[in-house]
Amino acid sequence: EDKVVQSPLSLVVHEGDTVTLNCSYEVTNFRSLLWYKQEKKAPTFLFMLTSSGIEKKSGRLSSILDKKELSSILNITATQTGDSAIYLCAVGDSGYALNFGKGTSLLVTP
Amino acid sequence: DGGITQSPKYLFRKEGQNVTLSCEQNLNHDAMYWYRQDPGQGLRLIYYSQIVNDFQKGDIAEGYSVSREKKESFPLTVTSAQKNPTAFYLCASSMASGFGELFFGEGSRLTVL
């Protein structure tokens, strides 16, 4: 049973569309939820959400943590082809390593 | 510049051979990790280390081994006991283990011929 579930697993949109990626989790002693973007090789950090910081925004990207629903969303507005990537969600709990979901593969077509 | 360096970037191996993937960091992080990535599988934890001379198995440690003799280095050996070693391997480090931001290397792609 996966601790972190992302949906959808893949998504194709047109440039300019707005997309919402979902991440739900089931862990004990939640500490943090992180979003990463992976284009070809190394994942790059986007946001970290905690109980004291449930909403983050950077340019066209924003993310919200819903601790009641045990989930988070990542919104991308006015998508560009450069947004095409795998988006990874990871959750930190009482363990010593983050728990990753399977990722959402986003393709933005011109 | 501070960061994580993985080598080699690409590696081909014959069945039955052990290979070692290098991971070096100059971020002064205590915690280091090895993940395996297969298409559609996200990142799966192989081994992690919170401090020098100490490491623990992750979810898929069978067929792999590691060492942590120096703070900066965390090499991963893929042994011949690993049944399906063809994958993309990512090394990462963090200041705080378990919940803080992970910094990743560029990855090593291993192909078994």
Side-chain angles (χ1 to χ4, degrees):
Chain A
E1 55 290 326
D2 293 339
K3 289 184 177 182
V4 181
V5 178
Q6 293 187 243
S7 63
L9 293 180
S10 66
L11 188 59
V12 181
V13 300
H14 293 296
E15 221 170 5
D17 288 349
T18 293
V19 299
T20 298
L21 310 182
N22 300 282
C23 176
S24 62
Y25 60 90
E26 190 171 337
V27 300
T28 53
N29 300 318
F30 169 87
R31 299 174 79 181
S32 60
L33 186 145
L34 293 86
W35 285 98
Y36 284 86
K37 176 183 181 182
Q38 184 181 25
E39 292 182 75
K40 288 199 186 302
K41 295 182 179 178
T44 54
F45 173 76
L46 294 175
F47 300 118
M48 183 167 81
L49 304 166
T50 65
S51 297
S52 57
I54 63 171
E55 196 165 343
K56 294 286 175 86
K57 181 176 171 62
S58 176
R60 297 178 294 104
L61 276 66
S62 62
S63 182
I64 297 174
L65 175 69
D66 187 335
K67 285 203 69 182
K68 190 175 179 182
E69 296 295 327
L70 306 185
S71 66
S72 173
I73 59 170
L74 176 67
N75 275 329
I76 308 175
T77 61
T79 51
Q80 303 170 357
T81 55
D83 295 325
S84 296
I86 296 173
Y87 290 84
L88 297 166
C89 174
V91 174
D93 56 10
S94 55
Y96 293 104
L98 294 175
N99 304 284
F100 279 86
K102 288 183 165 56
T104 294
S105 179
L106 173 65
L107 177 62
V108 181
T109 61
Chain B
D1 281 5
I4 299 180
T5 302
Q6 286 187 242
S7 64
K9 288 185 171 46
Y10 299 94
L11 185 61
F12 296 89
R13 184 192 100 173
K14 292 182 181 178
E15 280 194 29
Q17 288 181 334
N18 292 355
V19 293
T20 297
L21 308 181
S22 171
C23 178
E24 303 277 334
Q25 56 102 354
N26 60 3
L27 299 168
N28 200 32
H29 287 167
D30 284 317
M32 296 188 74
Y33 310 82
W34 274 105
Y35 288 93
R36 171 179 171 144
Q37 187 173 30
D38 297 283
Q41 292 296 316
L43 302 185
R44 293 185 291 168
L45 183 66
I46 305 173
Y47 268 97
Y48 64 96
S49 169
Q50 297 176 78
I51 199 167
V52 174
N53 292 323
D54 185 57
F55 48 83
Q56 286 79 39
K57 293 182 179 180
D59 300 318
I60 57 166
E62 185 175 350
Y64 300 97
S65 66
V66 295
S67 63
R68 187 87 187 274
E69 297 176 1
K70 298 187 301 181
K71 186 176 185 177
E72 302 80 16
S73 178
F74 192 41
L76 173 74
T77 296
V78 185
T79 75
S80 57
Q82 169 49 234
K83 299 303 180 192
N84 185 19
T86 295
F88 187 56
Y89 292 89
L90 282 163
C91 179
S93 71
S94 68
M95 286 183 63
S97 60
F99 69 95
E101 181 185 348
L102 285 181
F103 294 78
F104 287 91
E106 290 287 293
S108 294
R109 186 166 297 280
L110 172 63
T111 302
V112 174
L113 304 173

